[in-house]
Amino acid sequence: MPYEFRGDIAHADIAFDASGSTLEELFSAAAEATLKVMAEDPTAVRPTETVRVSLAEESLEMLLFEFLNELIFYKDARRLLLRPQWLEIGSEGVDSYQLQAALQGEEIDACRHQLDTDVKAVTMLRLSVHQVPGGWQATVVLDV
Amino acid sequence: MTTPAALKRIADTIWELPMSYKEGMLVPARIFASEKLVKEMDAGVFEQVCNVATLPGIQRYAYCMPDGHWGYGFPIGGLAAMDPGSGVISPGGIGFDINCGMRLVLTNLSAEEVLPRLHHLVDRLFARIPTGVGCHGFVKLKQDEFRQVAEQGSRWCLKHAYATHEDLEMTEEGGCFSGADASDVSVKAVERGFNQLGTLGSGNHYCEIQVVQPHNIMDAERAEAFGLTMVPNQVVIMFHCGSRGFGHQVATDYLKLFLGVMERKYGIKIRDRELACAPFHSPEGQSYFSAMKCAVNMAFANRQVILHRIREVFSDVFHKSPEELAMRMVYDVAHNTAKLERHTVNGRVKELLVHRKGSTRAFGPGAQGIPKCYDKTGQPVIIGGSMETGSYLLAGMSSGADAFFTTAHGSGRTMSRHEAKKQFRGDKLQHDMEQRGIYVRTDSFGGLAEEAGAAYKDIDEVVLTTELAGLSKRVARLVPIGNIKG
């Protein structure tokens, strides 16, 4: 998967790097990493429910922050484990980014999903989204 | 680990980084640690405690406790007191898990009475207290009722027969921070949290059955005053949890709000976005203070309803009422809060906004705001160790004034969760712990591996350091025999 967990940042939290050739791939990889923190077997999460998300932020970092926070919100509010089934990111100028996504997943099943660690929040610690040769890279630290 | 060259030893357990260490520091940084603990601290601690020292209005020092480790914004184990008139309030100085805290409950049962039924007892606790990812609570509320919980905390529990008057008396601030206004909380925070009242959560949150072995009592007088000497090998219950998704969302909402106004509206520049802040007396600062209090109150109520359920389980298993089992609270302490308190600075008593993040208030004997019965002993301080190594009950000391009467909150991690998962296997750890007399139930073997004892600092060293630094006095070491974790 295009994400890698890191052990060298904030020992009580969970840090990962994500990458993708497009912003959409990058955000999807970050979502998959977040799902993996909560469910040992994310492949067991079936696409039985769909939630639509629409976000607008001034920076790509804040867009990623808000996007991952949506996944965390639905985990608590509706007990849904979700991943993007479809995702589109656009921009208007240099300080306006929009995200439209359809998130799919299902209600938490403690046995089948092999639950791992509850994610509390996305932190601002080392949060970054930047362009690299061949695509995009992000660093995220989750509070757990 | 390498400590900064500028780190100067002030006393056996006090280390200081001067204001010249980093541009913008308004006060020096002070770290309470033994030589061993300071050498184990990661570079992030020194970087972060010095970032805290740059926050407007900070008084005396930016502090880090002996269990300190790299967090976000403040280090975990962080403490900063701000002048409310000129200073700021920062969600990064409180944490996402607002009022994550500890509660210690007595029984009059001995280990000899409990051990034959330990598996059944732990299994029943595990079945009846929701744990783990996204769990929903056993207290079913409508969103409007939940807003009342957020404003009233444990007082709501008292009205709804989940608490006794004595429970409230034995909770910091009586289980309710006054001035909590639910209109300062987002709809999203309520939607996220209203169905989580009565949930433990996961990560380092747990409920543990512990034994007070006579040879582990270090201060007999205080141990008796705290109720730990009813029977030899007395069984007590310690649990650790917070404000769940509700508090996490409150912190997230205001972190984002503060990032938007901090520089644009108030001209405050900071070194780390996690230290986003607003002047305490600004509309945004006051709104966050009120919302934070709502999350504090939800956490008090969460621990209170869990206590109610623990009493029910013990009552069922031992066929006696909670009163017959003497299931009284020793105390409930908060870890992640900001509070207005009166402290002495430069010989003058003044009101300060004290941020504690992963640290514990530890008021000494005679302090205002602690239960009358602890007037001579000081406030009970509950410090949870790792699930393998044991925990401590301590007491606040009169000598704690230099650190605004604050002490450590736990062992403090030395190994990342990622590394711990690579080194340990949850199922093997569970088996090994049972061989050593600790029966653990969990939904998550991965989560269990992350909490292995070897991933934490030496709890004995941490609490001894707090005592040598004059922050909190050891009363008794508590040995685990059963644990449920998320």
Side-chain angles (χ1 to χ4, degrees):
Chain A
M1 288 303 298
Y3 62 82
E4 191 177 359
F5 290 106
R6 296 176 56 162
D8 60 337
I9 307 177
H11 289 161
D13 307 310
I14 292 182
F16 65 83
D17 290 331
S19 58
S21 57
T22 63
L23 277 171
E24 284 80 3
E25 281 183 21
L26 174 79
F27 276 51
S28 293
E32 201 65 30
T34 304
L35 184 58
K36 173 71 178 168
V37 174
M38 297 189 279
E40 193 64 42
D41 183 11
T43 60
V45 177
R46 297 181 297 211
T48 59
E49 299 232 17
T50 303
V51 172
R52 295 202 177 270
V53 170
S54 177
L55 301 168
E57 291 294 334
E58 291 181 0
S59 71
L60 284 169
E61 283 161 6
M62 288 311 294
L63 197 67
L64 182 61
F65 175 84
E66 282 295 294
F67 174 62
L68 297 180
N69 270 319
E70 287 294 307
L71 301 176
I72 297 165
F73 170 77
Y74 283 108
K75 173 264 301 174
D76 281 333
R78 289 178 49 191
R79 302 193 75 240
L80 291 175
L81 294 177
L82 298 166
R83 59 162 59 86
Q85 182 262 334
W86 165 86
L87 189 146
E88 197 173 284
I89 296 171
S91 65
E92 285 176 16
V94 289
D95 56 1
S96 174
Y97 298 89
Q98 295 87 37
L99 178 148
Q100 305 284 332
L103 307 175
Q104 284 195 328
E106 65 177 332
E107 196 167 315
I108 291 169
D109 180 331
C111 297
R112 212 158 36 76
H113 297 144
Q114 295 179 41
L115 297 180
D116 206 325
T117 304
D118 210 0
V119 176
K120 294 175 183 171
V122 183
T123 77
M124 287 283 163
L125 179 66
R126 306 275 176 99
L127 179 68
S128 67
V129 176
H130 53 267
Q131 222 160 356
V132 292
W136 292 84
Q137 194 164 9
T139 299
V140 176
V141 179
L142 301 172
D143 186 17
V144 297
Chain B
M1 311 284 174
T2 311
T3 55
L7 189 70
K8 193 173 154 195
R9 193 171 198 165
I10 302 292
D12 273 358
T13 54
I14 304 174
W15 306 74
E16 191 170 307
L17 283 164
M19 285 162 59
S20 57
Y21 180 71
K22 190 178 263 192
E23 193 186 339
M25 284 173 70
L26 302 171
V27 293
R30 278 213 164 173
I31 295 158
F32 293 100
S34 63
E35 187 157 358
K36 178 174 179 251
L37 291 172
V38 87
K39 282 183 176 164
E40 281 175 5
M41 281 180 177
D42 35 30
V45 169
F46 306 108
E47 181 192 325
Q48 291 183 327
V49 74
C50 290
N51 289 343
V52 173
T54 67
L55 289 175
I58 188 163
Q59 302 289 296
R60 208 186 282 158
Y61 299 102
Y63 296 89
C64 185
M65 296 294 136
D67 54 336
H69 57 94
W70 194 356
Y72 45 84
F74 279 43
I76 311 297
L79 161 71
M82 311 301 182
D83 177 342
S86 62
V88 294
I89 186 166
S90 171
I94 294 150
F96 287 100
D97 199 354
I98 297 166
N99 190 11
C100 171
M102 306 287 300
R103 187 170 284 213
L104 185 67
V105 184
L106 302 170
T107 75
N108 57 12
L109 297 164
S110 67
E112 291 72 19
E113 290 170 284
V114 170
L115 283 170
R117 299 188 222 184
L118 181 68
H119 278 60
H120 179 50
L121 177 65
V122 173
D123 290 346
R124 289 305 298 151
L125 288 170
F126 189 62
R128 299 208 63 207
I129 302 172
T131 60
V133 178
C135 54
H136 280 185
F138 52 81
V139 180
K140 303 297 177 197
L141 297 174
K142 294 194 168 84
Q143 293 191 10
D144 278 349
E145 289 175 298
F146 180 77
R147 288 186 175 90
Q148 290 175 29
V149 173
E151 293 185 345
Q152 299 168 19
S154 297
R155 291 180 198 163
W156 182 91
C157 301
L158 185 65
K159 281 186 217 160
H160 292 81
Y162 289 105
T164 66
H165 284 284
E166 195 191 62
D167 292 340
L168 270 61
E169 201 183 322
M170 294 301 156
T171 307
E172 197 172 319
E173 299 295 323
C176 178
F177 276 23
S178 60
D181 182 346
S183 67
D184 289 311
V185 167
S186 70
V187 170
K188 209 165 184 177
V190 174
E191 280 179 16
R192 199 172 152 188
F194 82 100
N195 49 30
Q196 290 189 327
L197 188 65
T199 59
L200 204 57
S202 84
N204 62 356
H205 292 168
Y206 61 86
C207 173
E208 198 165 83
I209 315 284
Q210 302 169 338
V211 179
V212 190
Q213 296 167 334
H215 67 271
N216 282 329
I217 292 177
M218 288 134 189
D219 181 331
E221 203 177 313
R222 283 182 170 82
E224 189 179 351
F226 291 165
L228 298 186
T229 56
M230 281 191 265
V231 289
N233 295 321
Q234 187 177 336
V235 166
V236 295
I237 306 123
M238 179 181 285
F239 60 102
H240 178 219
C241 60
S243 49
R244 310 286 293 114
F246 177 64
H248 312 160
Q249 191 65 41
V250 166
T252 298
D253 289 342
Y254 280 91
L255 172 63
K256 199 175 167 209
L257 174 71
F258 284 10
L259 281 170
V261 298
M262 180 175 54
E263 195 168 344
R264 281 178 209 167
K265 189 170 171 184
Y266 297 111
I268 302 170
K269 289 184 181 174
I270 49 160
R271 290 189 157 268
D272 174 357
R273 285 175 298 178
E274 267 296 339
L275 288 177
C277 55
F280 179 63
H281 282 303
S282 66
E284 295 84 358
Q286 287 296 298
S287 180
Y288 170 63
F289 194 44
S290 161
M292 182 215 72
K293 288 174 177 178
C294 289
V296 164
N297 292 342
M298 188 278 181
F300 281 139
N302 192 31
R303 290 198 286 279
Q304 185 59 47
V305 299
I306 288 174
L307 169 58
H308 181 75
R309 184 136 283 191
I310 291 169
R311 284 174 171 152
E312 285 179 347
V313 169
F314 268 74
S315 201
D316 287 349
V317 171
F318 294 98
H319 308 296
K320 285 183 179 177
S321 70
E323 292 75 24
E324 287 170 322
L325 292 168
M327 295 187 72
R328 291 186 285 110
M329 272 178 65
V330 177
Y331 209 45
D332 179 301
V333 294
H335 292 156
N336 296 352
T337 62
K339 287 169 74 176
L340 286 169
E341 294 174 0
R342 295 184 74 76
H343 293 279
T344 305
V345 180
N346 299 328
R348 281 183 49 225
V349 176
K350 61 189 280 190
E351 189 172 61
L352 298 174
L353 179 68
V354 184
H355 291 70
R356 294 187 179 95
K357 183 186 183 187
S359 55
T360 311
R361 190 195 75 177
F363 282 176
Q368 291 223 324
I370 63 174
K372 228 23 203 156
C373 60
Y374 298 142
D375 205 36
K376 286 186 180 161
T377 57
Q379 168 206 317
V381 172
I382 306 156
I383 297 189
S386 79
M387 61 187 180
E388 288 191 81
T389 54
S391 298
Y392 276 86
L393 183 63
L394 302 92
M397 298 168 77
S398 304
S399 49
D402 284 350
F404 304 114
F405 295 102
T406 303
T407 190
H409 85 310
S411 295
R413 292 190 78 91
T414 52
M415 188 186 291
S416 73
R417 292 182 176 278
H418 180 62
E419 188 58 37
K421 247 182 182 164
K422 283 201 289 188
Q423 288 205 18
F424 309 106
R425 272 186 49 189
D427 52 350
K428 183 172 184 308
L429 189 61
Q430 186 187 42
H431 177 263
D432 291 350
M433 284 175 67
E434 188 158 6
Q435 299 296 307
R436 283 183 277 130
I438 310 167
Y439 177 55
V440 186
R441 288 293 310 271
T442 180
D443 264 337
S444 163
F445 284 130
L448 195 68
E450 290 176 4
E451 294 299 315
Y456 283 88
K457 296 180 208 278
D458 177 353
I459 183 72
D460 300 329
E461 180 90 7
V462 169
V463 295
L464 175 63
T465 302
T466 71
E467 185 169 310
L468 294 173
L471 304 175
S472 49
K473 188 175 191 312
R474 293 170 300 166
V475 174
R477 191 176 204 278
L478 309 168
V479 176
I481 55 170
N483 184 310
I484 67 165
K485 75 170 295 306

